[in-house]
Amino acid sequence: LFVLDLSGSMQFSMVPKNNPNDDPGRPYDLPGQGEMSRLEAAKRDLAKAVGGLRDGALFNFVLFATDVWTWSDELATMTPEMRKQASDFIAASDAVGATNIYGALERALALAGAKGGATWSAPVIDTIYFLTDGRATVGLSTSTDEILSFVRERNRNAGIVIHTIGLSDAHDAVLMRRLAEENGGTYVGR
C-alpha cells in the first residue's frame, strides 16, 4: 500500500531555496531549471515500485492533502493492464492543499485491515510505504505524539510494516523515524 502526500508543498524543490534572492522571477522554493520537485521525485520512486510489483500482488494508493482519498475503492490485483493504469495515474497526479497525515494513516491502516483492539486483525496488506515532504497541518490531530499513539494502537495486533520516506529537509523527521522504527520499517530521508 503506497501512501502519497499531494499537498501543495510537494511542488517545491527537493533542495530548499532562498527565493526570491536566488531568482527574483521565481516564487519561493519552486524548482529551478533542471531541478526536480518533491512530487517528481515521489512519482519517479512510485513508478519504480509499481513496476517492480509481481503480477497477482494486491496494492492501492492512499493520497492525501487537506482531504484523503484512494486510487481505487478496493485493493487492486496487479496485472499488466493494472500496472499501466497505476503508472498513468501516478504520472497525472498533482499537488495542492494542506497535509493531513493522521487521516492518511487512518485510511491506510483501515484499508490494510488493521482494526486495533486486543485481538489479531489478520491484515490483507503487510506493508505500507508512506511518502511525505511535510509536517501535519490539518486533520483530527497534528501532534506527532498523538499520530504515533493512534498508529501504535491501531497496528499493535496487525503487525503491518510501515516504511517511511521523507522528501526534502522540510518533513517531520522525528515522526517519520519513529513511525518506521515502531512498526518494523525503515526510514529514509531524502
Side-chain angles (χ1 to χ4, degrees):
L1 190 60
F2 302 98
V3 183
L4 176 61
D5 183 350
L6 290 178
S7 65
S9 61
M10 289 289 285
Q11 295 179 27
F12 292 170
S13 175
M14 284 292 290
V15 178
K17 302 212 167 300
N18 189 22
N19 282 327
N21 297 335
D22 289 343
D23 179 353
R26 296 196 60 77
Y28 180 77
D29 257 357
L30 290 181
Q33 186 170 349
E35 294 178 331
M36 185 177 295
S37 74
R38 299 166 191 178
L39 182 56
E40 289 168 333
K43 286 180 178 184
R44 184 189 63 202
D45 292 348
L46 279 176
K48 286 180 190 175
V50 167
L53 289 176
R54 64 174 169 67
D55 284 353
L58 294 177
F59 77 102
N60 203 342
F61 300 102
V62 174
L63 310 143
F64 69 101
T66 304
D67 295 319
V68 178
W69 64 101
T70 56
W71 173 60
S72 172
D73 291 338
E74 303 292 328
L75 294 173
T77 302
M78 184 57 75
T79 63
E81 179 182 309
M82 197 62 70
R83 189 177 321 277
K84 173 150 179 28
Q85 289 177 20
S87 296
D88 290 348
F89 173 78
I90 292 166
S93 295
D94 199 12
V96 64
T99 310
N100 188 350
I101 290 175
Y102 189 103
L105 290 167
E106 181 178 41
R107 177 75 60 90
L109 288 167
L111 189 59
K115 296 179 177 68
T119 59
W120 176 249
S121 293
V124 292
I125 291 287
D126 61 3
T127 307
I128 293 173
Y129 295 89
F130 185 81
L131 292 86
T132 186
D133 75 325
R135 300 174 182 279
T137 58
V138 296
L140 188 59
S141 177
T142 59
S143 161
T144 294
D145 288 336
E146 288 179 14
I147 293 168
L148 289 167
S149 178
F150 165 75
V151 172
R152 200 176 299 120
E153 165 58 28
R154 181 63 64 92
N155 197 30
R156 75 175 177 184
N157 289 316
I160 298 167
V161 173
I162 302 176
H163 298 290
T164 59
I165 299 101
L167 301 170
S168 87
D169 292 339
H171 73 276
D172 184 343
V174 172
L175 171 65
M176 298 295 276
R177 181 176 288 109
R178 287 184 57 197
L179 189 58
E181 288 173 354
E182 292 180 12
N183 294 282
T186 301
Y187 159 70
V188 175
R190 298 188 49 199

